[in-house]
Amino acid sequence: MKTDRKKLPKLGKSTTAIHAGGLEHSIYGEVSVPIFQSSTFAFPSAEEGAARFSGEKPGYIYSRLDNPTVNALEESVATLEGGFGAVATATGMAAVSSVYLAFLSRGDHVVASSCIYGSSRVILESELSRYGVETTFVDSSEPSNIEKAMRPQTRMVFVETPMNPSIRLTDLAGAAAIAKKCGALLAVDNTFAGPTLQRPLEFGADIVIHSLTKFINGHADVLGGMVVTRDQEHYDRVKKVISLFGCTMDPHQAWLILRGLRTLAIRVEKAQENAMKLAHFLESHPRVTWVSYPGLAGHPQHDLAKRQMDGFGCMISFGVEKGLQGGITLMNNVGLIGLAVSLGGVESLIEHPASMTHACIPPEKRREAGILDELVRLSVGCEDFEDLRNDLDQALNRIGDYRSVTSALQAEMEASQEPGC
Ligand SMILES: *Cc1c(COP(=O)(O)O)cnc(C)c1O
């Protein structure tokens, strides 16, 4: 349900994250938004029920359509993103697929960044293609690549920034201008930055998508998604698809995510302070071959990051010596830093695409997609910097002696082999 935004002055990001979407107190004066764990809502009369169904009167009907706890979360994210309204979904992928379903029809064409989230790409490639929607994938770090791919049938431009796993950026204002000129919608998956650091609607995007599972919830314990729109027309369209297809969020899930959201600004502030220090540390480490972090002056889009982001974020990718084996050695030696996919939690997580998420892709294809063997992705959390640095340092230093470890092991194995075996 689209509620009237509280008539509040423009507040800071922390204040907004903490207060936006708060419901009116009930008679009990509760401070936390209650969990309205009810699948359906009673009407005081048949006439009132009819008025709610027709939209003549506001009021709750059924939780697949609207629920007060879910609405509170929607209102919070919409306020942070500066959107007209937002609709919550069960997962981030439910948000992505709802945006596709709401706006794409047979014969439409999509220009998408080749670095969008894997599942978002697979839906376009092998599911929507079955329904007659065609997609061209481009390196969106250069706006002219988007422009060259536009066709008269292009209905949507779909990008992310920062991108995974290169931590390169898409110029949002540039992408928005191209989409607008061609009459296409610009949809931006803002999961990697989050609304306290980047608000794509301010740069002309029409739709913003979030996997709330990441920074917004921030505690690696709940899944969720959100679609935020710039205007009512797109809001109504997305709302209809999400309600009809049943991608709706559950009230208990919404309450947990709302609890995480309240500390979004302070968590991201701490994590990106760690990220900046770690990026410098990694740059100077002898086992590290390169570092991609938008906050480093050497990042090719450092100026763009300053223009479109309020901070440089918490995601770093870097290369390690000895390629695939170096990455594996690092993964197997981190202690404090968790070896897991996902990102955006208070705990730091590390991932090596070539040996983990993208291991099933043939090496040549991986390289084509920019997934280098030596590339490691780090989601920086809120721990103490020194502890993260020490953990990375000891694990990186193991890369140097992996050869001698392996060859010593090999020599031992050879020596222990019975002749004739
Ligand atoms: C994780 C993620 C998704 C998918 O979200 P789920 O909550 O796992 O469904 C989509 N986009 C990006 C950028 C993500 O990181």
Side-chain angles (χ1 to χ4, degrees), residues 271-333:
Q272 74 173 354
E273 185 190 310
N274 280 343
M276 190 74 230
K277 289 187 195 164
L278 283 176
H280 283 303
F281 161 73
L282 288 167
E283 260 194 329
S284 68
H285 199 285
R287 299 284 166 252
V288 173
T289 50
W290 52 267
V291 180
S292 180
Y293 180 65
L296 295 174
H299 188 286
Q301 295 164 303
H302 180 59
D303 289 334
L304 174 61
K306 284 199 272 191
R307 281 203 303 280
Q308 73 182 20
M309 299 177 79
D310 290 344
F312 300 116
C314 315
M315 301 301 297
I316 303 176
S317 66
F318 59 97
V320 291
E321 276 189 350
K322 304 204 158 83
L324 192 67
Q325 191 56 48
I328 293 171
T329 305
L330 177 62
M331 295 305 110
N332 286 337
N333 286 287

Side-chain angles (χ1 to χ4, degrees), residues 103-333:
F103 299 108
L104 299 173
S105 307
R106 174 176 296 279
D108 285 346
H109 174 248
V110 179
V111 176
S113 170
S114 47
C115 282
I116 55 173
Y117 188 70
S119 303
S120 307
R121 180 175 175 138
V122 173
I123 296 180
L124 290 169
E125 265 173 345
S126 49
E127 300 300 327
L128 288 186
S129 53
R130 297 190 294 120
Y131 296 92
V133 174
E134 211 186 315
T135 305
T136 307
F137 294 96
V138 299
D139 172 4
S140 67
S141 64
E142 184 47 64
S144 64
N145 293 338
I146 300 176
E147 190 152 32
K148 277 183 240 148
M150 298 300 281
R151 301 180 192 166
Q153 303 79 9
T154 308
R155 172 80 175 121
M156 183 184 291
V157 175
F158 191 100
V159 297
E160 289 181 20
T161 180
M163 286 183 264
N164 184 34
S166 61
I167 318 298
R168 289 289 162 86
L169 311 181
T170 302
D171 180 338
L172 290 172
I178 294 162
K180 195 165 180 192
K181 198 172 84 185
C182 302
L185 294 170
L186 175 63
V188 179
D189 183 332
N190 198 26
T191 300
F192 265 51
T196 60
L197 297 187
Q198 177 176 274
R199 290 159 303 281
L201 300 176
E202 288 175 1
F203 295 91
D206 301 288
I207 292 149
V208 172
I209 294 166
H210 276 288
S211 167
L212 305 174
T213 314
K214 314 297 168 53
F215 286 100
I216 292 184
N217 176 62
H219 294 78
D221 51 9
V222 199
L223 299 170
M226 191 71 80
V227 181
V228 188
T229 73
R230 160 194 291 289
D231 62 32
Q232 168 135 32
E233 186 194 334
H234 296 142
Y235 170 85
D236 290 343
R237 184 73 201 120
V238 166
K239 177 73 187 167
K240 183 175 177 187
V241 163
I242 288 172
S243 305
L244 277 175
F245 284 79
C247 310
T248 320
M249 181 179 279
D250 171 86
H252 189 255
Q253 190 186 1
W255 182 83
L256 283 165
I257 298 171
L258 198 53
R259 178 172 156 145
L261 171 65
R262 296 309 189 207
T263 55
L264 174 68
I266 193 167
R267 281 187 282 109
V268 167
E269 216 169 281
K270 169 71 184 171
Q272 74 173 354
E273 185 190 310
N274 280 343
M276 190 74 230
K277 289 187 195 164
L278 283 176
H280 283 303
F281 161 73
L282 288 167
E283 260 194 329
S284 68
H285 199 285
R287 299 284 166 252
V288 173
T289 50
W290 52 267
V291 180
S292 180
Y293 180 65
L296 295 174
H299 188 286
Q301 295 164 303
H302 180 59
D303 289 334
L304 174 61
K306 284 199 272 191
R307 281 203 303 280
Q308 73 182 20
M309 299 177 79
D310 290 344
F312 300 116
C314 315
M315 301 301 297
I316 303 176
S317 66
F318 59 97
V320 291
E321 276 189 350
K322 304 204 158 83
L324 192 67
Q325 191 56 48
I328 293 171
T329 305
L330 177 62
M331 295 305 110
N332 286 337
N333 286 287

Side-chain angles (χ1 to χ4, degrees), residues 10-34:
K10 182 127 178 63
L11 301 166
K13 286 171 213 147
S14 289
T15 315
T16 306
I18 291 164
H19 291 282
L23 300 177
E24 298 296 322
H25 293 167
S26 75
I27 53 166
Y28 302 111
E30 70 284 343
V31 170
S32 155
V33 171

